[in-house]
Amino acid sequence: MTILTGKKIHKIYGNKFNKQEVLKALDINIQKGEFVSIMGPSGSGKTTLLNVLSSIDKVSNGSIQIGDKEITTMKEKQLAEFRKRNLGFIFQEYNLLDTLTVKENILLPLSITKVPKKEANQKFKLLAEELGIYEVKDKYPNQISGGQKQRTSAARAFIHEPSIIFADEPTGALDSKSASDLLMKLSELNQKLKATIIMVTHDMAAASFSNRVIFIKDGGIYSHLNKGEQTRQTFYQDIMKTQGVLGGVHHEH
């Protein structure tokens, strides 16, 4: 079942005298329960794509449908409501509130819903244990490690069971062990909760945890790689080959 469809997405910055077309009539489909990585050289449009798909930024032209909702025609207020209820976000810089504990940060998305306190606490316990941060639940962000902060951020993204979780370079600020731990957890949650994850990354090792990699070049889709039954190591080799070719052709127009 398709959960996200983007058709003929254009994104243009600047004015008519100084115009930069970042996304060029791009089409994209994401299936429910997929863990998809978006990769491409610097300046290829991958972060812009994530921003328009997640409603952080508006398209210049084209349509984006999430579930049965067309988000490109929504007014700002509708969009904010839709975002709060249906989307989860994991950013590179954690975006945690320093004045709230780990538990309070994670429960934040539920504070705007009518979820009973007992149910909210059960959801919290389940996720925090799954992500290995239950024991630091009463600590503040400045008292925990980078890896724990990002896992807190991931728990916050999953807690309200959104339709899609958008992750923007989620391992960018982490050391390799913390990055690997986080991605392993994301992969497990993707399988257990059938959560749909769309992640932008420049890291081939990170991308190898996903089921499919979409490569972007010059504002359009260059190619796809499906993991299928391959091991993560074999998939990593395939990603490396494609990324190598892509890197080599970046400046050719």
Side-chain angles (χ1 to χ4, degrees):
M1 183 180 127
T2 304
I3 195 160
L4 183 149
T5 306
K7 288 180 181 164
K8 302 275 177 284
I9 300 171
H10 284 267
K11 181 63 186 175
I12 299 162
Y13 291 105
N15 54 36
K16 62 181 178 180
F17 303 110
N18 182 19
K19 206 162 62 169
Q20 188 190 7
E21 194 176 15
V22 182
L23 299 175
K24 304 167 185 176
L26 185 145
D27 292 333
I28 187 168
N29 282 297
I30 307 288
Q31 300 303 305
K32 186 171 169 49
E34 269 198 295
F35 182 176
V36 178
S37 288
I38 298 172
M39 298 192 81
S42 183
S44 58
K46 56 187 187 293
T47 299
T48 302
L49 178 60
L50 189 86
N51 287 345
V52 297
L53 293 180
S54 64
S55 78
I56 287 174
D57 202 353
K58 286 195 178 302
V59 297
S60 303
N61 226 311
S63 76
I64 297 166
Q65 192 168 332
I66 295 177
D68 58 356
K69 300 279 190 257
E70 170 61 58
I71 67 165
T72 40
T73 55
M74 284 183 185
K75 300 277 188 291
E76 200 49 59
K77 202 174 173 184
Q78 285 175 298
L79 207 49
E81 197 56 36
F82 178 81
R83 205 182 287 134
K84 279 190 293 197
R85 297 189 181 280
N86 298 283
L87 308 179
F89 295 90
I90 307 171
F91 300 101
Q92 183 175 333
E93 294 304 327
Y94 322 127
N95 283 33
L96 300 174
L97 297 174
D98 292 335
T99 53
L100 299 183
T101 62
V102 164
K103 183 178 181 179
E104 289 164 344
N105 265 290
I106 292 169
L107 287 172
L108 215 48
L110 293 184
S111 62
I112 54 142
T113 63
K114 300 283 188 284
V115 175
K117 194 175 177 184
K118 190 180 174 188
E119 191 187 326
N121 280 324
Q122 282 172 337
K123 283 175 182 275
F124 161 75
K125 190 169 189 288
L126 206 71
L127 266 177
E129 284 178 346
E130 186 73 45
L131 284 156
I133 47 175
Y134 188 72
E135 73 284 0
V136 296
K137 67 184 189 298
D138 299 320
K139 293 193 171 184
Y140 290 89
N142 67 352
Q143 298 173 315
I144 60 176
S145 71
Q148 289 169 326
K149 284 180 193 174
Q150 198 56 302
R151 280 179 276 146
T152 299
S153 179
R156 182 186 56 192
F158 278 94
I159 192 103
H160 59 303
E161 294 166 23
S163 307
I164 303 176
I165 288 161
F166 292 96
D168 187 6
E169 299 279 10
T171 59
L174 303 179
D175 61 69
S176 58
K177 186 186 183 306
S178 299
S180 188
D181 287 348
L182 174 75
L183 290 157
M184 194 73 79
K185 293 296 181 190
L186 288 184
S187 179
E188 286 167 10
L189 288 170
N190 161 251
Q191 286 159 18
K192 280 184 187 173
L193 307 178
K194 301 288 176 272
T196 308
I197 303 171
I198 302 175
M199 173 174 79
V200 159
T201 183
H202 66 277
D203 182 348
M204 292 178 283
S208 70
F209 281 88
S210 53
N211 317 120
R212 178 162 67 110
V213 181
I214 298 172
F215 293 91
I216 306 278
K217 176 184 177 268
D218 295 336
I221 289 183
Y222 173 74
S223 68
H224 297 254
L225 274 184
N226 286 297
K227 186 178 188 179
E229 298 301 310
Q230 295 180 92
T231 63
R232 198 166 68 77
Q233 282 71 20
T234 313
F235 194 40
Y236 173 77
Q237 298 297 330
D238 282 359
I239 295 167
M240 200 157 67
K241 280 178 206 158
T242 308
Q243 184 81 330
V245 173
L246 195 58
V249 295
H250 179 49
H251 298 295
E252 293 169 20
H253 294 284

